[in-house]
Amino acid sequence: MAHQLVLIGGGYAGMYFLRTTLDLLPSDVEVTLVDRLPKSPLKTEFYSIAAGTSSLKEVTLPFPHHPQLTVVYDEVIGIDQEKKQLTLREKDILPYDTLIVALGCVDRFHKIPGAEEFSLSLQSLKRAQITGHEILTLDAYRSVVLVGAGLTGVELAAELRETRHDLNITLIDRNDLVLNGFSDKLRQYVETWMTSHDIQVQHGIKAQSIFCDHMVHEQGELAFDKLVWTAGIQANPFVQLIVGADFDSIGRVIVDEEQRLPSNPDIYVIGDCAASEHPPTAQLAEFHGEYVGQVLAGKWRGQQVPKRSFTTKGILGSLGRGTGFGTLKGVDMSGKIPRMLKSGVLWSYKKHVEKK
């Protein structure tokens, strides 16, 4: 009987896992990918869907084709680790011998009353499309508030300014400058860009509660027509169903050096739902997927795979279609070149995973 390897989630980590393993599969291993969508989403580009500058085709990729790969379009809602089977929303039970969990992340609302109820989101393709519809169909001169001035909030604000020059856009954050974690030089560059493009940035704002048309914070109230939440993430809540797992502060599963659940070595966790000393990024998810693919290929061949450590290649961000910023190998960049580099990275990723 064939060994059943089940992969839950077809995002960056899942696609790199498949890209690594499919041509290395023994004849007695069958792979099943479970995902709600019929294509792999490019989540880092969802801000462009919400801003109306990218099409659905541009932010999704087809899943690979392989004679030993079956793709099931469904959602996993339960797990029985003793019986080694998953419960699906539509197709009932799916057995596994080896399980790869690559379910990514969801918004983290920090227990702020009304935040989940009244916020728009970018954490799924469906939600990004809804967010785009809600914002892009606003009447002229309405107000949009973006909560969180990290990379996603900054990129959305900049791209939205290109498509809706009439909107009043406000970016709020609890820090003293945008892009916490970047160099002061880049943070000031982006801050100046925002001001010069008529995007209001408010600092030191900590939301206390959110209502349908305004938010309450420590300094007072802020009215809006639409509010988008980009102020933190946490692991997909499904991982809380895994018996014997321990979690970090944002709900990610603590794993061993091979990304396995210490209490159950038949379960691997990769991507944004796996605990790491590094912040969640597409780069880290891709690294996890490729590494676990190599680990399993080594096991099938009876070979030991050397431990690999993750090193970021840098971070690139966009300020609309013509300008960008970022850090590569410790060197700060701003202007047209980092924007071109970011487009090149996206093109390279598409070509890499589409080879299958």
Side-chain angles (χ1 to χ4, degrees):
M1 187 174 180
H3 183 97
Q4 300 297 321
L5 189 157
V6 175
L7 167 65
I8 314 173
Y12 293 109
M15 288 290 272
Y16 257 69
F17 174 79
L18 293 174
R19 177 72 179 83
T20 303
T21 57
L22 286 181
D23 281 345
L24 302 175
L25 290 174
S27 59
D28 63 344
V29 175
E30 295 180 355
V31 180
T32 300
L33 165 64
V34 182
D35 198 285
R36 290 179 296 179
L37 296 176
K39 289 189 175 183
S40 175
L42 303 176
K43 194 171 185 178
T44 58
E45 305 306 304
F46 282 1
Y47 72 89
S48 63
I49 284 286
T53 53
S54 291
S55 67
L56 183 63
K57 182 178 180 180
E58 292 175 290
V59 299
T60 58
L61 289 174
F63 291 126
H65 295 282
H66 191 274
Q68 290 167 257
L69 172 66
T70 300
V71 182
V72 176
Y73 304 124
D74 210 330
E75 180 181 5
V76 180
I77 59 174
I79 178 172
D80 187 327
Q81 290 162 240
E82 289 188 6
K83 295 182 179 179
K84 301 185 75 170
Q85 62 186 27
L86 303 171
T87 301
L88 305 184
R89 185 173 299 279
E90 302 294 336
K91 297 185 179 180
D92 201 21
I93 299 300
L94 178 65
Y96 69 86
D97 296 300
T98 299
L99 178 64
I100 315 292
V101 181
L103 283 171
C105 59
V106 297
D107 285 305
R108 185 185 184 196
F109 293 105
H110 306 281
K111 299 181 180 180
I112 297 172
E116 184 171 6
E117 181 180 0
F118 296 114
S119 297
L120 297 170
S121 171
L122 302 179
Q123 285 301 322
S124 72
L125 182 56
K126 182 178 181 179
R127 290 187 175 185
Q129 289 177 297
I130 292 172
T131 297
H133 175 77
E134 292 289 322
I135 294 177
L136 297 173
T137 57
L138 283 171
D139 291 341
Y141 310 117
R142 299 300 184 182
S143 62
V144 176
V145 169
L146 312 180
V147 181
L151 187 59
T152 301
V154 163
E155 290 187 309
L156 175 58
E159 205 117 336
L160 191 58
R161 174 51 75 221
E162 290 192 352
T163 54
R164 289 296 305 265
H165 64 275
D166 57 293
L167 292 178
N168 298 305
I169 302 172
T170 301
L171 187 62
I172 68 168
D173 196 63
R174 60 175 56 199
N175 300 301
D176 58 350
L177 282 173
V178 298
L179 295 172
N180 189 37
F182 284 75
S183 70
D184 288 344
K185 178 183 176 181
L186 282 181
R187 296 175 75 187
Q188 191 59 62
Y189 171 81
V190 173
E191 187 98 10
T192 301
W193 190 96
M194 292 285 166
T195 301
S196 66
H197 287 77
D198 197 27
I199 296 172
Q200 185 178 7
V201 184
Q202 295 189 18
H203 296 293
I205 303 296
K206 298 179 181 180
Q208 295 178 324
S209 57
I210 295 176
F211 298 88
C212 64
D213 59 358
H214 72 282
M215 67 177 294
V216 177
H217 54 86
E218 294 176 344
Q219 287 78 41
E221 297 185 359
L222 179 63
F224 57 79
D225 292 290
K226 298 295 177 182
L227 180 144
V228 185
W229 192 267
T230 66
I233 59 173
Q234 61 187 14
N236 188 299
F238 169 82
V239 300
Q240 299 292 325
L241 302 177
I242 301 176
V243 176
D246 293 316
F247 307 95
D248 68 4
S249 62
I250 58 172
R252 298 182 298 179
V253 178
I254 295 174
V255 293
D256 68 12
E257 290 187 345
E258 293 186 344
Q259 298 296 129
R260 297 179 303 179
L261 186 68
S263 62
N264 192 331
D266 293 324
I267 298 178
Y268 294 76
V269 185
I270 58 178
D272 291 350
C273 54
S276 173
E277 62 181 308
H278 304 283
T281 62
Q283 281 184 61
L284 181 61
E286 292 163 7
F287 171 83
H288 285 170
E290 183 176 61
Y291 178 62
V292 170
Q294 292 171 347
V295 166
L296 286 177
K299 292 182 185 298
W300 296 330
R301 296 176 174 183
Q303 300 172 346
Q304 184 70 31
V305 175
K307 178 68 177 87
R308 292 174 55 192
S309 57
F310 173 74
T311 302
T312 182
K313 300 173 185 176
I315 303 177
L316 296 168
S318 65
L319 295 171
R321 290 297 185 176
T323 306
F325 60 92
T327 301
L328 284 178
K329 297 182 178 180
V331 178
D332 289 342
M333 299 183 297
S334 59
K336 293 182 179 180
I337 291 178
R339 185 64 182 92
M340 292 171 61
L341 288 173
K342 184 184 177 187
S343 296
V345 169
L346 181 61
W347 179 87
S348 178
Y349 171 80
K350 290 180 177 180
K351 292 300 180 183
H352 181 73
V353 298
E354 283 183 321
K355 287 182 180 179
K356 292 296 173 191

